[in-house]
Amino acid sequence: MIGKTFSITENKVTRTLKIVGEHLAYGRRFYAVEDSISPGKPHDFEADAFDRRFKVTASTRFKQRVFTARHRQLQ
């Protein structure tokens, strides 16, 4: 996903969004996105909402593992 560019047209104004980076915060994935309206200043977008909006299927850098351990009582 990093390096891809998307275009949005809202109110007859076209904006381009370029994904610059990806990071984890507060238990969620976020994309650092550079907007054509304010270049050089990356903004954070929630990755899942961004993926849903642009219907993107891509692998991530961060593997989300399911907790599979069982509770064991110590004696």
Side-chain angles (χ1 to χ4, degrees), residues 18-38:
K18 181 177 182 183
I19 299 177
V20 181
E22 179 181 10
H23 63 276
L24 289 173
Y26 310 110
R28 296 181 180 170
R29 272 187 320 125
F30 288 93
Y31 290 138
V33 178
E34 193 173 285
D35 197 350
S36 64
I37 293 175
S38 59

Side-chain angles (χ1 to χ4, degrees), residues 10-70:
E10 294 176 337
N11 298 331
K12 299 180 183 179
V13 176
T14 302
R15 298 168 47 190
T16 57
L17 303 173
K18 181 177 182 183
I19 299 177
V20 181
E22 179 181 10
H23 63 276
L24 289 173
Y26 310 110
R28 296 181 180 170
R29 272 187 320 125
F30 288 93
Y31 290 138
V33 178
E34 193 173 285
D35 197 350
S36 64
I37 293 175
S38 59
K41 217 164 112 178
H43 301 282
D44 289 339
F45 284 93
E46 188 177 359
D48 294 333
F50 197 85
D51 291 344
R52 258 185 268 120
R53 182 172 183 172
F54 293 105
K55 298 176 183 169
V56 175
T57 58
S59 62
T60 62
R61 290 187 326 167
F62 305 107
K63 303 271 185 200
Q64 294 180 349
R65 294 180 13 194
V66 178
F67 183 74
T68 57
R70 293 192 175 123

